[in-house]
Amino acid sequence: MSLRDIGSPRWFRQHEYIEKLNMQAILNASANQEEFIKDLFVSLGKIPTLVHAMILTEVWKHKVFPIFCKLKDFNPNSTFLLYMVIHHEATIINLLETIMYHKESSEAAGDSVLDLVDYCHRKLTLLAGRSVSGEIPTGERITHTQLSDTASVQDLQRQSDMLEFEISIKALSVLCYITDHIESLNLSVLSRMLCTHNMPCVLVQLVEHCPWKRGAMEKYTEGKWRTVLPEDQLKLSKHDGQLWMALLNLLLKPDCQRKYDFNSFNKTQLLKLRGFLTEVVIDQLPNLLDLKHFLSQLAVTDPAAPKKDLILEQVPEIWNSIVTENSNKWKAIAKYQVTNVFNPSESELREQACRLAQTYNLDVMENLIPDEPKCGACGRTGAKRCSRCQGEWYCNRECQVKHWPKHKPACKLMAEAIQKLQEEPKISS
């Protein structure tokens, strides 16, 4: 698809398909079932298509969305459609995180692995920069049942920042899996990570500033900021483990050691890791003992510089081709979309709500959410659902009544969509 197609009916159909594939892939992986979604992406050669769709959305978000939000003829009814576009990138990286765990997925990605490495570098550099400057978002992103409550551009921009943080953490997982399978990938991938982007030094910044930790008592896990019990404060999170494993792969694998330049700057940065390799950390990840020994040796030696052989290297193409094709057209695309794409009538909005109700099947969604439902008004544990739309939870009647003016538009859309879905079998029969 082209950049102008984003938000079109055809684009939304693709979004719905990817959402459903993502939910099924997560269910299969979490239940240790046969991962047929992964197998299909590999056998049909669709991983490069998925990477292209993700980067296309990333370009739109960075180049078109900021212009879009400043246009005076912005339709407030389109905010929840815009949120779906912003959320699209998060859905794809989530799906890639699930399927790229496997070696055959990295191999099937072909040349798009280079684009994926560049994508991960952009996200992790941004994450490290925001962590250093204290700009890590502290809120929670909204759920699909709250989309119609998002009434302003400012809300959308806040949600975009929150999603960017979440996407960056998912990018760390994808990068970790790529480094796991580096021996079976093109040499250009290794060169891109070590020579072009100096990924080990980027990862050192993340170890130093730990963006998924807030103070001593909070960590970002499973998509939320959570209070950590005193006895769990020294326990490594999933993100900590993936960060260390990526460093272990990039610094200790023989191909990586031959390729990486351990010059004085890189050496100084890497030696910072010694202060974080405590006994408590090594007890949880015993493989890190090898990294500790390597760093001790690095401190007293100067490894030879890598040989500068003449090698023809591939370069990533997706981001550059999209930007080149649409250069100097960003404002024109935004104006076209604000008039022709993100300008829904009430009937079109209802139709889209119906399709979303089909996509976000409530029973499937609840299987993917490990936490208890939260009250839509106060945030405490929800005790009962809204009887009309079945999408929002409340802890008591008082909170439900208080939240009703804000929830009413979303409730009406979802209730009508569900009713229409229930009537369809009767009509066909």
Side-chain angles (χ1 to χ4, degrees):
M1 294 189 189
S2 70
L3 215 60
R4 282 165 64 97
D5 290 327
I6 288 180
S8 66
R10 177 170 166 252
W11 183 92
F12 266 103
R13 279 196 299 275
Q14 187 191 68
H15 172 72
E16 290 156 15
Y17 297 153
I18 293 175
E19 283 283 7
K20 290 174 182 178
L21 289 166
N22 179 44
M23 288 188 277
Q24 187 63 54
I26 293 173
L27 284 173
N28 290 350
S30 59
N32 291 319
Q33 297 172 342
E34 181 184 356
E35 296 187 41
F36 62 88
I37 300 296
K38 178 267 298 179
D39 293 338
L40 285 168
F41 269 103
V42 170
S43 62
L44 297 175
K46 288 294 181 182
I47 294 178
T49 309
L50 202 58
V51 174
H52 185 279
M54 180 175 69
I55 295 176
L56 185 73
T57 311
E58 181 195 18
V59 173
W60 183 90
K61 193 170 71 175
H62 288 285
K63 300 290 188 178
V64 180
F65 181 57
I67 301 171
F68 194 99
C69 294
K70 295 176 183 177
L71 297 176
K72 293 180 180 178
D73 43 359
F74 174 80
N75 184 347
N77 287 337
S78 67
T79 50
F80 98 103
L81 298 179
L82 281 166
Y83 178 82
M84 297 309 295
V85 175
I86 295 169
H87 183 265
H88 188 62
E89 184 186 353
T91 300
I92 297 178
I93 191 66
N94 204 35
L95 178 54
L96 283 169
E97 181 191 25
T98 305
I99 64 179
M100 293 297 287
Y101 173 81
H102 303 274
K103 179 181 176 181
E104 56 265 35
S105 299
S106 292
E107 293 172 345
D111 295 344
S112 70
V113 172
L114 285 165
D115 294 279
L116 201 48
V117 165
D118 270 29
Y119 177 87
C120 292
H121 177 258
R122 288 193 295 272
K123 298 302 176 184
L124 295 180
T125 302
L126 179 65
L127 183 63
R130 287 184 171 179
S131 183
V132 171
S133 59
E135 296 176 4
I136 297 297
T138 57
E140 303 285 354
R141 71 177 178 88
I142 60 176
T143 64
H144 72 286
T145 57
Q146 299 167 309
L147 292 179
S148 294
D149 294 342
T150 306
S152 71
V153 174
Q154 290 74 22
D155 287 337
L156 274 174
Q157 289 171 330
R158 281 192 293 270
Q159 288 302 316
S160 180
D161 288 342
M162 189 63 223
L163 276 169
E164 192 68 43
F165 173 64
E166 193 170 308
I167 288 166
S168 299
I169 288 179
K170 297 288 184 185
L172 174 62
S173 296
V174 172
L175 180 75
C176 178
Y177 300 147
I178 292 173
T179 64
D180 280 340
H181 313 132
I182 195 67
E183 297 94 342
S184 61
L185 300 178
N186 191 307
L187 280 174
S188 297
V189 177
L190 186 61
S191 178
R192 197 80 185 164
M193 285 196 287
L194 296 178
C195 305
T196 306
H197 294 315
N198 198 353
M199 202 65 85
C201 285
V202 175
L203 299 181
V204 169
Q205 291 293 310
L206 294 177
V207 172
E208 274 194 288
H209 300 284
C210 196
W212 43 84
K213 186 177 180 182
R214 196 162 61 193
M217 300 301 292
E218 281 189 295
K219 286 186 179 180
Y220 189 83
T221 58
E222 296 178 355
K224 289 180 179 289
W225 286 103
R226 302 172 192 273
T227 301
V228 180
L229 297 173
E231 59 268 25
D232 293 333
Q233 287 181 18
L234 297 177
K235 189 180 291 185
L236 293 177
S237 68
K238 172 188 171 183
H239 313 312
D240 294 318
Q242 290 176 329
L243 178 56
W244 281 114
M245 290 309 297
L247 277 164
L248 198 67
N249 290 333
L250 290 175
L251 294 176
L252 297 192
K253 288 195 173 185
D255 288 345
C256 297
Q257 288 192 346
R258 283 192 291 269
K259 192 75 175 173
Y260 192 57
D261 186 1
F262 292 94
N263 57 41
S264 59
F265 173 80
N266 292 344
K267 184 175 171 180
T268 301
Q269 293 300 307
L270 294 175
L271 291 178
K272 292 178 181 179
L273 295 173
R274 291 190 297 175
F276 298 92
L277 288 169
T278 62
E279 289 185 8
V280 175
V281 170
I282 293 173
D283 282 345
Q284 295 173 72
L285 279 175
N287 288 356
L288 293 181
L289 188 60
D290 293 335
L291 180 59
K292 186 175 182 179
H293 290 158
F294 169 76
L295 293 173
S296 297
Q297 186 178 2
L298 182 65
V300 296
T301 59
D302 290 314
K307 294 180 181 179
K308 295 185 178 180
D309 300 324
L310 181 62
I311 299 175
L312 292 176
E313 292 186 355
Q314 292 173 286
V315 294
E317 297 178 352
I318 297 176
W319 172 280
N320 287 339
S321 65
I322 295 171
V323 171
T324 302
E325 182 184 345
N326 297 282
S327 181
N328 300 320
K329 300 177 185 176
W330 311 118
K331 194 167 185 178
I333 292 170
K335 285 184 176 180
Y336 168 80
Q337 290 184 328
V338 80
T339 305
N340 300 292
V341 179
F342 297 103
N343 190 23
S345 64
E346 191 170 336
S347 62
E348 289 171 333
L349 209 56
R350 291 176 193 279
E351 183 182 349
Q352 188 60 47
C354 181
R355 297 185 69 91
L356 288 174
Q358 287 179 302
T359 301
Y360 295 102
N361 180 285
L362 292 172
D363 295 329
V364 175
M365 289 296 291
E366 286 176 4
N367 283 330
L368 300 178
I369 301 172
D371 301 320
E372 294 179 330
K374 296 289 190 294
C375 174
C378 69
R380 291 195 292 263
T381 301
K384 60 178 183 177
R385 273 178 174 164
C386 170
S387 59
R388 189 180 185 199
C389 71
Q390 299 291 307
E392 193 66 271
W393 286 83
Y394 297 100
C395 60
N396 55 45
R397 176 69 178 168
E398 183 182 347
C399 274
Q400 186 174 7
V401 172
K402 181 181 177 182
H403 192 247
W404 175 244
K406 189 175 182 181
H407 175 59
K408 185 178 178 180
C411 184
K412 186 178 178 183
L413 281 171
M414 291 298 292
E416 289 176 357
I418 291 169
Q419 183 181 358
K420 187 175 179 181
L421 285 174
Q422 291 171 342
E423 288 174 354
E424 283 180 358
K426 298 177 185 177
I427 293 170
S428 60
S429 62

